[in-house]
Amino acid sequence: MSGPEPAASFARRAARGEVSIEESVAKTLEECEKTDSRLACFNTICGEPALSRARALDGLAKEGKAAGRLFGVPVSVKDNICTKGVRTTAGSAIISDYVPPMSATAVERIEAEGGIVVGKTAMDEFGFGGFCVNVGKGFRVPRNPLDEKRVTGGSSGGCGAVTAALAAAGIPHASLAESTGGSITSPACFCGVVGITPTYGRVSRWGLIDFASSLDKIGSIGANVEDAALLLEAAQGADARDMTSRPEPAGPLADAARGLGKRFRLGVPKEFFEGVDPRVSDLVWGAVKKLEAEGSEVGEVSLPTAKYAVPAYYLIAVSEASTNLARFNGTRFGLQREPEQAFGEYFSEIRAEGFGDEAKRRVILGTFARMAGYRGKYYLRAMKVRTRIIAEFARAFEKYDALVAPSMPILPPTFEEVSGLAPHEAYALDLCTTPPNIAGIPHASVPAGMAGGLPAGAQVMCAHLQERRVVEVASALEAVSK
Amino acid sequence: MEEKVDVGKVARAAKVRLDAAEAARFSWEIEGILENFQKLGEVDVEGIEPSFNPLRAKAELREDVPAPFDFDPFANARFVFKRKIVGPKVLGE
């Protein structure tokens, strides 16, 4: 796949007035509608608002006032990231009619750089899933553009599907996604595109509908490393409205995707290959060996606590989710009725009506893990295991520039295969994505090749705040995997 | 070690009403999940501090200065009386 024009190049031409942004957005919207009717990857398509903004940007270009790294670039946004005046649902029936009165900081920054929001993408309810089949009541399950019998990956499944579909149609575009435990890597891998999850706090969470506050990270999905890096570059940076956002300077990223030819010290963590489909392992090792042949140093590394990342992650995530979801009680927004019952009964009934199965399961599990008598055994122990995982990564990064592992342990499964999994079996498939997410380190998923017509992904992980290094290594892997 | 969970009691604390079929299914599923989580007990965490944030963070607080909302906080509330959100009664439970 040669792919569409890089977003940065398109933005420069649009700013010079060499392309009609209105025509480009109209074509993008038409393709979004076609893609959505086939793949169900949008919850909302922003037709007229996007065209209106496109006309305004065309006007600026004519006046010579155009500016911005994403000038005229169509951007889709995961539906748990608030967009002023555009319905934002987090894929849940309990807020299916919520129209935010403000945009998330990340969206404001993308629009300030000239990006145009064309739609809000399908997702697992509140991000509760790795396959994008746990959508809320009344929402549609998206399908993989590479094979419609297969899942997109999740929870940012719509972001992955629309990015792959628009790339195949030759349309410049990037998608603002979000990961808590692998929700960028999974759909990027299964849809054969690139996803970058930054360091925890690198992108402001203000305006994000929280799942787990110490794990949630807004990131990007693009047709290639450069596009994903460009979108992340525009969205990142400290924000006074989010006290967990990082104060360290956030520098350019997209240009790092163009500086090929570098050599790296690459560690391959052996625990990430245990139980992985051999076809995936072979493709990831094949890409690593190519970089070694080009001069990079490669060594095996052990992260012994990484195999405990799945239970530690889920205990932290559900504990935080059970408190974050307390706000959905049928009073200030979303599903509401005349509040005639007593509060306990009213809250319990409206939440039963508005939450899907996985949301109920996680709220109950999280409430249990925080209860008196269990908090130390589950929640606090998980937080201590997290400390060990962070320390093991830090030690590995003293020796290596980056770690490379499979993104997902399997090729994209069919809907039938996923439907047969018990919840704990589905959670276990997050074995490669939970370690970097629980540690809050930046990482990317890059296509590593195809097996039987299905994509496998290589995951690049670097030390905290080393997004630029992630982009460099991901670009090198992208180049050798084409 | 198998963990028995009184799902009905936990669901009441979580303010989520479950019907009998849901309670039975969630009991089975949650016990299966917790059984798999028991392996966390294998990790030696003696003397290790919990990480509530994956990075060291310094609390940065804004100046405590009153300021108007730059958006309407009532925009999505259906039941509003004199700029106050009407909620369910808290007495008489």
Side-chain angles (χ1 to χ4, degrees):
Chain A
M1 182 172 80
S2 60
E5 179 180 6
S9 158
F10 176 85
R12 285 192 295 271
R13 289 199 305 119
R16 290 194 298 263
E18 293 171 13
V19 288
S20 161
I21 300 171
E22 183 180 2
E23 282 177 21
S24 160
V25 167
K27 185 179 167 197
T28 304
L29 289 168
E30 190 182 326
E31 197 62 37
C32 287
E33 294 282 359
K34 269 168 52 186
T35 300
D36 186 56
S37 64
R38 186 166 67 91
L39 303 174
C41 49
F42 282 104
N43 288 344
T44 303
I45 294 175
C46 309
E48 188 45 44
L51 284 168
S52 168
R53 184 159 158 74
R55 287 190 282 271
L57 293 183
D58 274 332
L60 286 176
K62 276 188 192 132
E63 293 168 20
K65 295 178 181 169
R69 287 171 272 203
L70 294 167
F71 195 81
V73 174
V75 176
S76 60
V77 177
K78 187 175 181 179
D79 208 14
N80 59 351
I81 303 172
C82 286
T83 40
K84 185 177 181 177
V86 175
R87 188 175 79 117
T88 299
T89 70
S92 179
I94 206 160
I95 47 168
S96 62
D97 62 353
Y98 176 61
V99 178
M102 77 298 177
S103 283
T105 299
V107 172
E108 282 180 354
R109 288 181 175 169
I110 283 166
E111 291 187 331
E113 292 289 342
I116 300 175
V117 176
V118 292
K120 304 299 293 291
T121 58
M123 57 180 287
D124 288 290
E125 184 175 15
F126 294 113
F128 296 159
F131 303 116
C132 218
V133 296
N134 295 335
V135 299
K137 295 171 184 172
F139 287 82
R140 300 168 304 157
V141 172
R143 294 185 287 280
N144 193 314
L146 303 174
D147 180 346
E148 294 178 31
K149 293 190 299 300
R150 295 178 189 272
V151 302
T152 57
S155 66
S156 309
C159 295
V162 70
T163 300
L166 291 183
I171 292 174
H173 155 270
S175 195
L176 195 65
E178 179 273 335
S179 173
T180 306
S183 289
I184 292 176
T185 292
S186 165
C189 173
F190 285 168
C191 293
V193 291
V194 174
I196 306 179
T197 306
T199 305
Y200 174 79
R202 188 54 115 178
V203 178
S204 168
R205 292 183 298 113
W206 195 83
L208 171 71
I209 298 175
D210 305 285
F211 162 0
S213 303
S214 80
L215 293 159
D216 294 343
K217 301 160 290 285
I218 291 176
S220 58
I221 292 182
N224 50 60
V225 176
E226 186 185 338
D227 284 2
L230 182 70
L231 190 71
L232 180 59
E233 179 184 311
Q236 68 182 355
D239 179 10
R241 294 180 292 191
D242 174 8
M243 65 180 285
T244 61
S245 66
R246 298 305 302 180
E248 293 85 355
L253 297 174
D255 66 314
R258 297 188 284 269
L260 295 175
K262 288 190 176 165
R263 294 168 184 178
F264 307 99
R265 295 171 302 156
L266 301 176
V268 180
K270 61 180 185 182
E271 290 82 4
F272 285 60
F273 287 81
E274 290 170 8
V276 170
D277 184 325
R279 294 169 295 178
V280 174
S281 300
D282 288 349
L283 284 165
V284 174
W285 266 113
V288 170
K289 290 288 180 192
K290 284 179 188 168
L291 289 186
E292 188 176 32
E294 289 183 357
S296 288
E297 291 173 34
V298 176
E300 199 173 63
V301 61
S302 177
L303 301 170
T305 313
K307 66 182 176 194
Y308 299 99
V310 169
Y313 161 78
Y314 272 95
L315 283 165
I316 297 168
V318 296
S319 298
E320 295 183 2
S322 65
T323 58
N324 277 327
L325 265 60
R327 74 191 60 173
F328 301 110
N329 59 14
T331 54
R332 291 172 293 163
F333 35 64
L335 198 58
Q336 295 163 68
R337 286 198 300 266
E338 190 80 51
E340 291 171 334
Q341 297 157 292
F343 82 99
E345 196 180 345
Y346 177 79
F347 293 166
S348 298
E349 289 199 6
I350 209 141
R351 285 156 67 82
E353 184 182 337
F355 287 162
D357 269 3
E358 186 65 18
K360 290 177 187 172
R361 192 180 292 118
R362 294 198 188 198
V363 166
I364 292 168
L365 190 56
T367 303
F368 173 77
R370 290 183 299 106
M371 277 181 152
Y374 297 102
R375 188 170 181 270
K377 180 179 176 183
Y378 290 114
Y379 177 61
L380 286 179
R381 175 169 280 270
M383 287 291 198
K384 291 176 184 176
V385 171
R386 175 193 230 176
T387 304
R388 282 191 64 138
I389 292 171
I390 292 168
E392 286 178 7
F393 270 120
R395 275 197 295 279
F397 292 129
E398 287 171 5
K399 188 172 178 189
Y400 297 105
D401 299 319
L403 304 183
V404 182
S407 298
M408 294 297 288
I410 54 173
L411 297 167
T414 62
F415 289 103
E416 192 181 351
E417 286 165 341
V418 166
S419 69
L421 295 173
H424 67 271
E425 292 171 325
Y427 298 172
L429 290 170
D430 294 336
L431 66 105
C432 297
T433 57
T434 47
N437 277 281
I438 199 171
I441 58 172
H443 54 285
S445 177
V446 185
M450 306 288 272
L454 298 170
Q459 181 171 227
V460 178
M461 298 168 275
C462 291
H464 287 137
L465 303 171
Q466 298 296 313
E467 281 78 10
R468 193 171 169 83
R469 178 58 53 83
V470 170
V471 172
E472 288 173 346
V473 178
S475 301
L477 275 170
E478 181 179 53
V480 297
S481 301
K482 276 180 180 165
Chain B
M1 188 180 72
E2 196 178 334
E3 188 82 73
K4 280 284 168 202
V5 182
D6 182 345
V7 164
K9 180 182 163 190
V10 182
R12 279 192 295 281
K15 297 278 182 284
V16 179
R17 182 179 52 73
L18 299 181
D19 60 32
E22 282 178 317
R25 182 161 51 85
F26 284 144
S27 284
W28 176 78
E29 289 172 349
I30 287 174
E31 283 169 12
I33 293 166
L34 289 172
E35 189 182 334
N36 277 272
F37 288 3
Q38 298 305 316
K39 71 175 182 180
L40 268 190
E42 298 167 7
V43 185
D44 179 8
V45 294
E46 186 67 33
I48 292 178
E49 290 295 314
S51 289
F52 294 98
N53 186 321
L55 286 85
R56 290 214 174 129
K58 197 172 77 176
E60 298 265 4
L61 300 177
R62 292 191 297 271
E63 290 296 311
D64 188 12
V65 178
F69 280 103
D70 56 4
F71 54 84
D72 178 9
F74 298 100
N76 282 275
R78 275 180 60 199
F79 302 101
V80 177
F81 178 71
K82 293 187 177 176
R83 297 285 291 168
K84 291 182 179 61
I85 291 170
V86 179
K89 58 187 177 185
V90 294
L91 298 175
E93 271 269 276

